[in-house]
Amino acid sequence: MPDIDGTAPNWRIYSGSRIPHDGIDRLPAPPPWRTFTGGPALSTPPGDSGNPHAAVSYRPGEDAIRQVNAALYLRRPLLVTGAPGTGKSSLAYAVAHELGLGKVLHWPITSRVTLRDGLYEYDPLTRLYAAERARREDVNGSRGDDIGDYLRLGPLGTALLPYERPRVLLVDEIDKSDIDLPNDLLTIFEKGAYEIVELARRAEPTARVMTADSTTDRVEIRDGTVSCRAFPLVVMTSNGEREFPPAFLRRCVTVDLKQPASVAELTAIVREHLGPVVEGEGGELPAGATEIIDRFFERRSGGLLANDQLLNAIYMCHHASFSEHPETVRQLADQVMPFLSSEATRSDGD
């Protein structure tokens, strides 16, 4: 199978190049036990990933690239762990951007979130009020009741629509969920389908409903059931605050994102995010920026720091340096980069 540039055989669909291409179309058929046949088929919504900066500035590591491809081939969710600021969420936007999969569907998780929240919302009260108004205004009863006006699919529910290409769903911070949510997701991930109860109970269980994003017109749901066609790329992020059940883990492809292992890697990240802002003539980082990078790298052994703190510090100090004394600027850098935890971080080899 030729690579996207035609130069050499390569099994990878996602390359981490950050250059958009149509390589997703050469993804082979799924394993027999992961085949889904929902329909009628829907086209990929137009538009970008929803976060262009994250999509083009993220630098995936070799492990992340391999595991994204494994999740695509196996039609399995990708569980991404790592310290804050390692780019867990950005990975979803980077994949959607490179593979042209449209806007990322974002489902932020808290302890109060349930499976139903991710699938769909139904507003019976508004429907009741609307029916009462229609009854008063139309004594002949000629106006119909469109249940689709009161149903809206959630991020997970939208991702499971029968798209020809997989949508990307970001389930953000799943480790903060109620203890039952990972197990509740297992059934949905295995079936690739779910029922809209309020629609299935009707004599005519078909309706055109709203989706979670604004890139798709209303979609028709038949027989009260949503079934996927291309299983979505589900990127679930975790800060490692809890353990997941073995049954859940064995159905996921996992990857652990590490902190940059060297000053050179940190410098490359800073260039990707802030190069046009702080680089001088010749594309060199100013001395103040390199000093902050060195200090950030040294301080990581004393507690938890996130890469976005480094970016914030360099951005702030770049502008402060125009009018502040150097010592004051260094103090500002430390204030913008406080330890997130006093516990010493593990080495990258742990």
Side-chain angles (χ1 to χ4, degrees):
M1 185 165 54
D3 198 0
I4 57 174
D5 60 5
T7 58
N10 195 331
W11 70 281
R12 298 179 181 186
I13 303 299
Y14 172 64
S15 67
S17 68
R18 296 173 287 180
I19 300 173
H21 59 80
D22 59 1
I24 192 67
D25 292 334
R26 59 186 178 88
L27 184 67
W33 54 91
R34 297 295 292 167
T35 299
F36 305 97
T37 58
L42 300 174
S43 299
T44 303
D48 60 31
S49 67
N51 191 337
H53 177 76
V56 300
S57 62
Y58 179 67
R59 298 168 58 87
E62 185 65 19
D63 284 349
I65 294 172
R66 280 199 301 264
Q67 296 303 78
V68 165
N69 281 284
L72 288 169
Y73 272 77
L74 298 174
R75 278 67 170 182
R76 289 292 185 186
L78 179 67
L79 179 62
V80 186
T81 58
T86 50
K88 299 185 295 296
S89 300
S90 296
L91 177 60
Y93 293 98
V95 176
H97 169 76
E98 181 180 321
L99 300 184
L101 300 179
K103 184 178 180 180
V104 171
L105 295 159
H106 184 206
W107 186 19
I109 302 298
T110 70
S111 60
R112 299 180 298 278
V113 165
T114 66
L115 178 64
R116 169 70 176 263
D117 296 324
L119 292 176
Y120 69 93
E121 297 176 354
Y122 172 60
D123 188 353
L125 289 179
T126 301
R127 184 185 180 196
L128 179 63
Y129 296 149
E132 179 62 23
R133 285 197 305 270
R135 185 188 64 79
R136 291 196 303 265
E137 296 170 1
D138 185 3
V139 293
N140 294 322
S142 60
R143 295 189 179 183
D145 175 25
D146 185 358
I147 191 174
D149 291 340
Y150 313 102
L151 281 168
R152 186 182 187 91
L153 303 185
L156 173 58
T158 300
L160 290 171
L161 287 168
Y163 290 106
E164 292 178 319
R165 290 176 165 186
R167 291 295 301 271
V168 178
L169 171 66
L170 173 59
V171 184
D172 217 359
E173 298 192 331
I174 192 172
D175 51 332
K176 289 182 166 56
S177 72
D178 176 85
I179 192 171
D180 293 325
L181 182 61
N183 284 326
D184 291 341
L185 286 170
L186 286 181
T187 300
I188 298 296
F189 290 158
E190 290 303 298
K191 293 174 59 179
Y194 64 96
E195 183 181 68
I196 299 179
V197 176
E198 293 79 5
L199 188 55
R201 288 174 177 170
R202 289 167 55 91
E204 178 52 51
T206 298
R208 294 187 63 81
V209 305
M210 298 174 282
T211 62
D213 56 12
S214 58
T215 61
T216 305
D217 294 330
R218 286 200 189 196
V219 295
E220 185 176 78
I221 306 300
R222 300 177 180 178
D223 301 321
T225 300
V226 175
S227 300
C228 75
R229 190 178 189 89
F231 188 78
L233 177 64
V234 182
V235 178
M236 300 181 292
T237 70
S238 170
N239 291 321
E241 296 181 4
R242 62 179 284 192
E243 293 185 355
F244 295 102
F248 178 79
L249 291 175
R250 74 180 180 87
R251 290 174 171 85
C252 296
V253 175
T254 61
V255 61
D256 184 27
L257 301 185
K258 302 295 186 182
Q259 291 277 18
S262 67
V263 169
E265 290 183 30
L266 284 171
T267 301
I269 290 172
V270 170
R271 288 186 184 278
E272 291 290 346
H273 287 271
L274 291 173
V277 177
V278 302
E279 285 179 350
E281 294 184 5
E284 294 297 323
L285 289 178
T290 57
E291 181 181 345
I292 293 172
I293 294 171
D294 290 339
R295 181 161 178 75
F296 177 87
F297 187 77
E298 293 170 0
R299 293 181 71 223
R300 281 196 333 191
S301 62
L304 181 61
L305 292 170
N307 294 343
D308 52 1
Q309 292 175 288
L310 172 62
L311 298 175
N312 290 336
I314 291 178
Y315 178 84
M316 288 297 302
C317 291
H318 171 70
H319 291 285
S321 64
F322 297 138
S323 57
E324 299 277 355
H325 295 295
E327 185 60 34
T328 304
V329 173
R330 284 190 288 270
Q331 291 174 356
L332 175 61
D334 287 347
Q335 291 170 344
V336 178
M337 300 188 300
F339 288 123
L340 303 177
S341 170
S342 60
E343 181 182 353
T345 56
R346 297 177 300 170
S347 69
D348 287 340
D350 289 345

